[in-house]
Amino acid sequence: MILQVATETAGQGSNVVIRTYQAEHGGTVFFQALTERQRRRRTLIVALAVIATTAFSAATVLGFNQRAAALARADVSTSWAP
């Protein structure tokens, strides 16, 4: 499908990368892509979000387990009281 590829930036310090492809039908296709810096930043943000979500989930499960264990201990101590 791709016969010719040209990459241009919209100026110094620009965040826009426009790739131009010549399609099979002979027309030109413009595709706006993320820069390398934007891709790295997005990957970092997604990774941090996954880590934070996993930590929150683990803390929630641990909290429920500790509460259940405390209730079980309280049950045992009251049921075995003389």
Side-chain angles (χ1 to χ4, degrees):
M1 175 183 158
I2 302 169
L3 300 175
Q4 176 183 356
V5 178
T7 303
E8 300 176 15
T9 56
Q12 182 132 4
S14 174
N15 290 337
V16 179
V17 175
I18 299 173
R19 292 195 171 100
T20 307
Y21 298 102
Q22 185 175 359
E24 288 178 354
H25 57 73
T28 304
V29 178
F30 295 99
F31 178 74
Q32 183 175 341
L34 295 175
T35 63
E36 183 66 29
R37 179 179 290 170
Q38 289 171 327
R39 279 191 301 231
R40 275 187 274 138
R41 174 173 270 174
R42 182 178 61 186
T43 301
L44 177 65
I45 290 171
V46 169
L48 291 175
V50 168
I51 291 169
T53 304
T54 304
F56 179 74
S57 174
T60 302
V61 170
L62 185 61
F64 280 128
N65 284 342
Q66 287 179 347
R67 183 168 184 228
L71 289 174
R73 281 193 302 274
D75 250 0
V76 169
S77 63
T78 56
S79 65
W80 289 95

